[in-house]
Amino acid sequence: MRVLVAEDEPMMAAAIADGLRDEAFAVDVVHDGAAALERLSINDYDVLLLDRDLPVVHGDEVCRQVAAGDGAVRVLMLTASGTVAERINGLSLGADDYLPKPFDFDELVARIRALGRRTRPALPPVLERSGIRLDPHHRETYRDGRYVSLSRKEFALLEELLRADGGTVSAETLLEKVWDENADPFTTIVRVTLSSLRRKLGEPQLIETVTGVGYRVR
């Protein structure tokens, strides 16, 4: 999944982003509400992690504009205030979920995953196809019962392909969902990562190249 972290405290933003990347998310970071709205107008995100007290454009206004738009991004609002009244107020602005600071990072990841599932067709928590079994929660992959050790990007790339349920996914979509806005659109990183993933999954090859279209798991 692709996540936008909008947090005005640089150290916290960096810590959250690094932790989410360790969980195989593609993450972009901004430090004010205006920058958040700009990124949302350019990129397709699954989840917006939104600090409520953002400068320039307040987090409440960012939430209102996101809720009023026609995008599929889900909003998880973060705030230092955890009172019931504040939570109700945040949800009434259009937030999909609300998490007071300080929070447990594992809970944050679980909430992001839950929100991300809402932006896509309903799928089982464990993805299985053609002998591949991928468990996003435990970050485990098996092929025909054999454990396959994957890097974060290999895991995320395979997850995107499995979520397509046999459909073809373009290289552009994989680059957008698995990497972040700093990725060079002319890079060969998708092809290189796919080559490594295919090697680790072993024979016979399950990931097909659909010429001129993209890739799919048969």
Side-chain angles (χ1 to χ4, degrees):
M1 290 191 296
R2 190 168 184 181
V3 179
L4 177 62
V5 176
E7 164 62 58
D8 68 329
E9 296 181 20
M11 291 184 64
M12 174 167 285
I16 292 172
D18 288 346
L20 293 180
R21 288 175 183 132
D22 285 341
E23 295 292 327
F25 293 111
V27 184
D28 297 328
V29 178
V30 294
H31 301 296
D32 65 71
L37 291 171
E38 179 185 15
R39 291 295 200 288
L40 290 164
S41 71
I42 298 171
N43 302 314
D44 292 326
Y45 294 98
D46 296 292
V47 176
L48 167 62
L49 192 60
L50 178 65
D51 179 57
R52 189 165 189 178
D53 297 317
L54 288 177
V56 187
V57 177
H58 196 272
D60 287 359
E61 180 58 25
V62 173
C63 190
R64 286 192 192 95
Q65 292 193 34
V66 170
D70 56 2
V73 63
R74 301 292 180 171
V75 179
L76 173 53
M77 185 174 281
L78 300 178
T79 181
S81 177
T83 66
V84 173
E86 285 297 310
R87 293 188 192 193
I88 292 172
N89 184 248
L91 294 171
S92 70
L93 292 168
D96 297 280
D97 200 357
Y98 191 99
L99 189 61
K101 300 176 184 178
F103 50 81
D104 180 84
F105 187 76
D106 288 339
E107 181 181 3
L108 175 67
V109 171
R111 287 174 180 257
I112 290 174
R113 289 195 186 280
L115 288 176
R117 287 195 292 270
R118 296 187 199 175
T119 68
R120 309 173 184 213
L123 288 169
V126 175
L127 303 175
E128 297 186 76
R129 186 176 183 85
S130 302
I132 298 175
R133 184 176 188 274
L134 184 143
D135 183 342
H137 178 69
H138 294 99
R139 289 281 314 281
E140 294 179 343
T141 307
Y142 296 85
R143 176 169 184 188
D144 298 326
R146 172 180 63 87
Y147 176 74
V148 182
S149 178
L150 300 179
S151 71
R152 288 176 295 171
K153 293 305 183 186
E154 291 164 350
F155 186 94
L157 193 151
L158 180 59
E159 182 176 358
E160 287 298 322
L161 291 173
L162 290 175
R163 287 187 179 280
D165 196 25
T168 303
V169 185
S170 69
E172 292 79 9
T173 297
L174 291 172
L175 187 65
E176 177 182 300
K177 291 293 186 181
V178 177
W179 281 267
D180 56 34
E181 65 181 2
N182 295 314
D184 181 351
F186 300 104
T187 183
T188 61
I189 191 65
V190 173
R191 189 168 67 250
V192 171
T193 305
L194 271 167
S195 177
S196 176
L197 176 59
R198 283 168 165 155
R199 178 177 52 78
K200 290 184 178 181
L201 290 174
E203 298 292 341
Q205 292 293 318
L206 297 177
I207 301 175
E208 293 183 327
T209 299
V210 182
T211 304
V213 182
Y215 306 92
R216 69 183 176 199
V217 176
R218 42 177 140 175

